[in-house]
Amino acid sequence: MTNSFDQVLNRKNTQSVKWDFNKAVYGTDDVLPMWVADMDFKPPQKVLDVLSERIQHGIFGYTSPTTDTYKSVCRWLHKRHGFSVDASSLIYSPGIVFAISMAVQAFTNEGEQIVIQPPVYTPFFNMIQQNNRKLVENPLILENGQYKMDFADLEEKFAQGAKMMILCSPHNPAGRVWTKQELQKVADLCVQYNVILLSDEIHSDLVYKPNKHIPIASLSEETANLTITCVAPSKTFNLAGLQASAIVIPNKSLRLKYQETQRKQGAGGLNTFGIIALQAAYNYGEEWLEELLPYLKENINTVHEFIQKEIPDIELIYPEGTYLAWIDCRRTGFSDEELKERLLHKGHLALEPGPKYGTQGEGFVRMNLGCSKETVLEGLKRLKIALSK
Ligand SMILES: Cc1ncc(COP(=O)(O)O)c(C=O)c1O
């Protein structure tokens, strides 16, 4: 069966970070890029249509989300995740990283402690440290090929005075889709120690059955009251360059504080294309997403089988969600420097180096599988060459 996701599209010379910035980031252009988390796919046709129509209209003055925009976000969250969100709780943000920085500034003071669970998405570290807050690590535990949370350590970190926690749900790069029980424990601890919870749920639509994403704020009103939930169509529909995200803050006083902080930055609303693409994706993109998910899952299985058969020294931490493959290379005995050198100059493959996600990522690499199967197979071939002794 052919699938539109099988088409290999040329993204070069589109100012793509993944395809056009390898020389700047890795020192060489001679690589197959499977690093930064966007996909090599076009979004749903309806999204392209509304964008084309808007370009044909030709006037790009100030634009703002409308009631229809709110409705499209709320309907999506309810339909896909059973998350009932009141339109008054929604705030827009160009990106999630920007929203994380705003929340850090709004809800903590300089020097205060913020907990994260490494190995985790790099900007979590940066937004805490660049805002002069104290980074507190509650590392995940890798056990039998799967990550889990260390709740005893989390409670200890909360008891030591943490003001905020940034949760990655689903988790990048670990690929975990947290269960209800796990989320409930996090929520209970946040309530008990009065910790503000920022739940980054940008990967929440990219979850493979039977796993199910549960928005942590949907667990109880008490949890919703201390939670800032970040969602976006950017990962789901490959729209990261259009910069449109939604932040859910049901608690009014937290919401006003967040909005005031965002206003102080002089931050405007969303851009014209971001607004209409977000709306079209959430209104019309479901069928496309239902076709995408099995395609991505097959890519994951392809990697899993190839590694087991062809590169048994390394191990895929099998993801429950996201299109990101977190690969344990520690048994190869190569240092991170050697891994990087081999990948770039022997395999001609650009992957994310594990240490970017904290010291817990040493000896790991992250491979982006949001691409055609042909690209995945080419990447695997290069990975095998890179690691061959
Ligand atoms: C967990 C997580 N949060 C946020 C982002 C990026 O968000 P944005 O581009 O909206 O700032 C990513 C991108 O990879 C991510 O993995």
Side-chain angles (χ1 to χ4, degrees), residues 40-53:
D40 294 338
F41 305 134
K42 288 186 185 180
Q45 186 57 42
K46 184 71 184 175
V47 175
L48 295 174
D49 292 345
V50 297
L51 290 170
S52 304
E53 276 167 34

Side-chain angles (χ1 to χ4, degrees), residues 78-89:
H78 188 259
K79 180 146 192 248
R80 297 293 300 184
H81 307 299
F83 188 21
S84 299
V85 170
D86 194 276
S88 66
S89 313

Side-chain angles (χ1 to χ4, degrees), residues 242-253:
L242 295 184
Q243 296 271 292
S245 316
I247 316 300
V248 182
I249 313 182
N251 178 300
K252 191 170 174 190
S253 74

Side-chain angles (χ1 to χ4, degrees), residues 37 94-98 100 121 124 168 170 172 200 202-203 232 234-235 240 243 245 324 366:
I96 303 285
V97 174
F98 178 73
I100 293 172
Y121 182 54
F124 284 16
C168 199
N172 167 18
D200 180 343
I202 194 168
H203 295 280
S234 49
K235 297 285 159 212
Q243 296 271 292
S245 316
L324 307 166
R366 196 193 73 174

Side-chain angles (χ1 to χ4, degrees), residues 213-224:
H213 171 72
I214 298 168
I216 194 165
S218 69
L219 291 179
S220 70
E221 202 177 318
E222 211 176 17
T223 309

